[in-house]
Amino acid sequence: MTIKDLNNNDSSVAAWIVKFLVKRNVKVVFGLQGGHIQPIWDFCYKLGIRIIDVRDEKAAVHMAQAYSILTNEIGVVMVTAGPGVTNTVTGIANASLACTPILVIGGCTTIPQSNMGPLQDIPHVDILRSITRYCRTARVPEQVIRELDLAYSFAKGQLGEPGPSYIEVPTDVLRCTVKNKLILNDWIKQKKPSEIYPNIKKIDEFVNKLNASKRPLLISGRGARNSGDVIESFLSKTGVLYLDTQDSRGLISAQHNSNVYAARSKVMSEADLVIIVGRKLDYQLAYGSPAIFSNANFIRISDNPYELVDNRRGEPEIYAEPKLVFQEINCRELKTNFDKKWIMEIRNFQNEKIEKFKNNKESYLGDDNKIHPNYIFNCINNLVKENYIGVADGGDILSFARVGLNSKYYLDSGAFGCLGVGIPYAIAAAEVYKNLPIICVTGDGSFGFNAMELDTAVRNKSNICVIISNNAGWNIETHDQKLNYGNRVYGTILRHTNYAKMAEGLGAFAVRVEKPEDLEKSIALALKNTPSVVDVITSSSVLSSDAIKGLGFVPKYQ
């Protein structure tokens, strides 16, 4: 067999794309290879960009999203044409709702074959346009890098809301030569992040509102992630109470005096001023409804205008980098007169709830004599302290994980409720934090969506421990069928499948646990032998808070 090198043109469009990624400090790309993108894939090898190749393209997008969240850099995905692109849709939609900057580079058929019925030809751009910030086919060789620069800028939010960008290049265009003089340096060079400075009059209004408040509360979200230090200084200086949300867990330590995470409902209902930082008022914050925020006026702060105006308006609404806003406020002399009695009451309520949780001698077993889901988290907390990455994936198990996973860094299914993110998120986290434990707790249903990515974890020696709550069903839906649909349980029952055997077959360390006395030592062993799976037979008789609230019923008003 004669070996040829058909990709030795260092001035090809494919080469320029990878040179662009190198200039933008891209260290790793997540993807699945195919002929339409092979010229770019090969130059990644030549120019030293690491590729984590997956078993399904959706998982690659999930990995890029987690990588972006954990590094504050753009996560990059590369997929081939046709099914390669369409497999990314759920992942891109998840990143879109989370406003996470990712760049998806897709393959597409050659220009001469367009609309002739070639292999894997489908209108990718039309499919993805509604869930991306930028979505184009780059057909002109000399303009590909200019368009790639635009895609990058849109993803970062420099032209609006941050989120996914999609760009595809026909394979024949990838092979075209583009001379150096036609690639402008300002297209290819690394750009400094844009900074949006606050209007000082708006800062004055913020200070006046804060000084007049008796019961202030700050709630952080996605847009606050880069502002932890200045927000912490603000909280320490003022004593304002604080809550995080799913996408800002770990921003402020759970031990900080202002963090009243266990008094969430009480503090939201009683606060008279709520400062929302980098967060939409979606269903997770009850849309800012007066039914929940009974007495509150709002201040909205974000570098994303879409996080300033949804559902409840703020006075003021500050369109600026949250970090710059709090830097300015921290320099001001404040004349606050908060209700200290109320603040102490909330803190005492918080401490009582925490003590009650610690002292709760809940049975290790459910009514069906299988392991209680909460016991998984008891064992984790006995083995590892705060400094680890916690990933929660699932429906029913997520309710327990939100309280039980006490990790400094936390990722979960998010506002989209996207099941299957667990293993991909964990693999990406292991790429970023090579010396920290990565613990993914997933339901058995959600595990099934990307279970084959255990193979990816094994091939990449990812330091991940996956703990499966195996309750043999879609428990929230099963409860809903029992309660609201005449006890007609239909299509929601799974089996206690031996996922440990499956994991072993893929090359991971695995153990199956059926008795509570075996659980803690099994997790300890799995943490020492990653990548690993702990398949825990858990009770389906224990109802999560989401099941009790009727999440599965989808009420008219959530």
Side-chain angles (χ1 to χ4, degrees), residues 2 20 113 142 155 160 196 224 226 230 321 323 410 419 459 468-469 471 477 495 499 521:
T2 303
F20 174 94
Q113 295 185 70
E142 295 80 9
I196 306 169
N226 298 326
V230 290
E321 304 287 332
K323 190 178 187 77
Y410 174 85
L419 303 191
R459 287 183 289 110
I468 304 169
S469 176
N471 63 6
E477 287 71 23
R495 298 168 54 242
Y499 298 114
K521 61 186 177 185

Side-chain angles (χ1 to χ4, degrees), residues 135-263:
C135 194
R136 282 181 58 82
T137 305
R139 296 184 177 90
V140 180
E142 295 80 9
Q143 298 296 321
V144 169
I145 299 305
R146 181 186 65 81
E147 296 226 32
L148 194 57
D149 181 42
L150 271 177
Y152 228 77
S153 296
F154 271 94
K156 291 289 282 183
Q158 292 177 334
L159 295 104
E161 188 173 42
S165 280
Y166 175 77
I167 186 169
E168 63 183 22
V169 186
T171 310
D172 55 329
V173 174
L174 290 176
R175 298 182 180 123
C176 290
T177 298
V178 179
K179 294 180 180 178
N180 286 24
K181 64 182 181 181
L182 298 177
I183 303 294
L184 300 185
N185 185 52
D186 55 284
W187 296 344
I188 202 168
K189 71 180 181 181
Q190 177 75 291
K191 307 292 194 302
K192 290 182 179 180
S194 300
E195 291 188 324
I196 306 169
Y197 283 82
N199 182 317
I200 294 302
K201 290 183 179 179
K202 298 274 189 179
I203 297 291
D204 293 341
E205 191 177 350
F206 178 110
V207 170
N208 290 337
K209 283 286 179 69
L210 185 66
N211 286 341
S213 170
K214 296 294 183 182
R215 300 180 170 191
L217 169 67
L218 188 151
I219 302 176
S220 67
R222 172 213 65 85
R225 286 192 199 119
N226 298 326
S227 310
D229 54 345
V230 290
I231 290 177
E232 183 175 2
S233 295
F234 171 77
L235 297 173
S236 298
K237 176 181 178 179
T238 62
V240 169
L241 298 182
Y242 172 82
L243 294 175
D244 58 20
T245 51
Q246 282 174 296
D247 41 13
S248 62
R249 273 275 297 269
L251 185 75
I252 301 299
S253 170
Q255 280 69 52
H256 193 283
N257 212 26
S258 289
N259 195 335
V260 290
Y261 62 90

Side-chain angles (χ1 to χ4, degrees), residues 310-472:
D310 63 309
N311 293 319
R312 294 292 300 273
R313 302 302 296 259
E315 292 183 15
E317 294 165 349
I318 305 178
Y319 177 47
E321 304 287 332
K323 190 178 187 77
L324 298 176
V325 171
F326 284 98
Q327 281 177 351
E328 175 65 29
I329 290 167
N330 288 342
C331 293
R332 298 292 188 96
E333 184 178 343
L334 303 175
K335 298 178 181 178
T336 58
N337 186 27
F338 301 153
D339 184 342
K340 294 180 181 178
K341 182 180 177 182
W342 174 76
I343 290 174
M344 187 58 65
E345 180 185 318
I346 295 292
R347 286 175 177 160
N348 289 339
F349 181 85
Q350 151 105 350
N351 293 334
E352 287 168 11
K353 281 198 73 174
I354 292 171
E355 281 304 309
K356 184 178 178 181
F357 181 79
K358 286 179 180 177
N359 296 328
N360 187 2
K361 301 302 182 183
E362 196 167 42
S363 171
Y364 296 155
L365 300 173
D367 293 340
D368 53 6
N369 287 321
K370 292 170 184 171
I371 295 173
H372 195 296
N374 267 341
Y375 190 54
I376 292 173
F377 303 102
N378 290 349
C379 293
I380 291 172
N381 294 333
N382 288 339
L383 291 167
V384 290
K385 299 308 176 188
E386 187 182 57
N387 199 28
Y388 70 97
I389 314 294
V391 180
D393 181 16
D396 204 52
I397 192 64
L398 183 59
S399 298
F400 299 102
R402 280 198 297 261
V403 177
L405 270 181
N406 297 324
S407 56
K408 181 177 181 181
Y409 307 95
Y410 174 85
L411 299 168
D412 70 16
S413 303
F416 196 38
C418 189
L419 303 191
V421 299
I423 297 174
Y425 277 10
I427 291 171
E431 187 68 18
V432 177
Y433 293 100
K434 297 183 184 297
N435 298 318
L436 290 182
I438 316 292
I439 299 176
C440 169
V441 181
T442 177
D444 51 344
S446 51
F447 171 74
F449 284 100
N450 280 307
M452 280 303 295
E453 298 309 325
L454 284 175
D455 174 73
T456 306
V458 170
R459 287 183 289 110
N460 287 277
K461 299 180 174 59
S462 301
N463 178 33
I464 70 171
C465 174
V466 179
I467 303 172
I468 304 169
S469 176
N470 186 347
N471 63 6

